[in-house]
Amino acid sequence: MQGWRNLLAAVIAVGLSGCQPRDPFFFAASTLLAGSFSADTPLDLREERGVVTFPLVMEQPQLLLVGVESDSVDTYLEVLNSQGEILASDDDHGPDVNPLLLVRLDPGSYTLRVLNTPGSLGHFLLGYRPLNPWSNAIQGWLREGDPQHPDDGSWMDVYELAGQARQILLVEVTTEGFSPFVQLLNPEGEGVAMAYGRQSPLYMAAYLERSGTHSLRVSSLRPGETGTYRLNTLLVSPRQLP
């Protein structure tokens, strides 16, 4: 009987030695924070969703990549300043339906808010990492006669990006003369990520689910607007972030 126990222990040991540990998060976050939604989680009264908050203090101006990962809860992510104003938010730019966003923050105090789908309970991880991703910028110009966006007819420029599944695309657009709108299409031409705003620069992060040539559209928030812009993009492995 003892011999069988020793053999079983040896088989288990060999099996465990061949297992690869699962990455703790879908990108190389410098800070990981655990949270959960339960029946006792406070509700956000605006939408009657559970909300879990984390304080964040920035010592210097910095680009920050922030995401949430959960196998059990569909989450939504917000970044708020000290006055409670929402500076950035995202629903599903990460893998599956997890949020992922890129935001530039000045020195000061902030709050990271994670909200759930009403009624859904479970655990999640929130991760973030400061970045310095840009090296070369594209100078562009929206003008009459450019291709027109199929949704509203606004002038647009289109850039092709050869991406691999499980890469992260980082985007920064700085505009003069118009409010920016950016949209990412997968190799099948389906819209998978977008960002827009009345202020510039505009930032976007997107986790690629498929390999192939993606299209990045740069256009204006309102049809007919023209002007110049500077575009920075970076396709990078989630484990090799700059």
Side-chain angles (χ1 to χ4, degrees):
M1 187 66 175
Q2 186 66 36
W4 283 106
R5 289 179 179 174
N6 292 340
L7 177 60
L8 180 59
V11 170
I12 293 174
V14 170
L16 291 178
S17 67
C19 293
Q20 296 298 319
R22 184 179 181 274
D23 287 333
F25 200 65
F26 70 90
F27 67 81
S30 59
T31 300
L32 278 177
L33 302 169
S36 65
F37 292 97
S38 69
D40 298 324
T41 301
L43 293 180
D44 175 71
L45 298 180
R46 296 173 303 169
E47 304 180 50
E48 296 187 352
R49 299 198 290 179
V51 57
V52 180
T53 62
F54 302 90
L56 174 67
V57 176
M58 302 296 294
E59 302 292 344
Q60 60 185 10
Q62 186 71 65
L63 269 177
L64 202 67
L65 184 67
V66 191
V68 178
E69 184 174 25
S70 176
D71 294 330
S72 57
V73 187
D74 185 0
T75 57
Y76 185 81
L77 175 63
E78 296 177 338
V79 181
L80 282 66
N81 63 16
S82 58
Q83 287 76 46
E85 300 168 326
I86 299 174
L87 303 180
S89 62
D90 186 60
D91 189 6
D92 56 6
H93 282 180
D96 298 323
V97 292
N98 291 292
L100 177 68
L101 60 82
L102 184 66
V103 61
R104 177 172 289 279
L105 299 177
D106 292 325
S109 298
Y110 300 88
T111 300
L112 304 177
R113 283 170 38 108
V114 182
L115 299 98
N116 68 344
T117 299
S120 63
L121 307 178
H123 299 277
F124 66 86
L125 282 176
L126 180 145
Y128 59 85
R129 178 189 180 94
L131 297 180
N132 185 22
W134 315 128
S135 57
N136 296 301
I138 296 172
Q139 303 295 329
W141 181 14
L142 286 187
R143 50 189 168 179
E144 293 186 14
D146 281 343
Q148 291 182 280
H149 196 287
D151 292 341
D152 64 3
S154 59
W155 310 115
M156 71 174 184
D157 290 337
V158 182
Y159 298 89
E160 293 188 345
L161 306 169
Q164 299 296 319
R166 295 181 293 279
Q167 282 186 316
I168 288 178
L169 172 65
L170 306 174
V171 177
E172 176 191 61
V173 182
T174 305
T175 64
E176 291 287 343
F178 66 95
S179 300
F181 182 97
V182 295
Q183 182 182 30
L184 180 68
L185 281 65
N186 67 15
E188 285 70 38
E190 302 164 333
V192 293
M194 66 177 180
Y196 55 88
R198 300 187 183 281
Q199 295 183 338
S200 172
L202 178 70
Y203 296 97
M204 185 181 77
Y207 184 91
L208 303 189
E209 299 283 358
R210 302 181 187 180
S211 298
T213 301
H214 291 65
S215 299
L216 183 68
R217 294 170 171 171
V218 178
S219 61
S220 59
L221 189 58
R222 292 179 291 270
E225 292 182 330
T226 61
T228 60
Y229 64 88
R230 185 178 73 248
L231 171 67
N232 278 301
T233 64
L234 180 66
L235 274 168
V236 63
S237 162
R239 312 242 65 84
Q240 298 175 340
L241 293 167

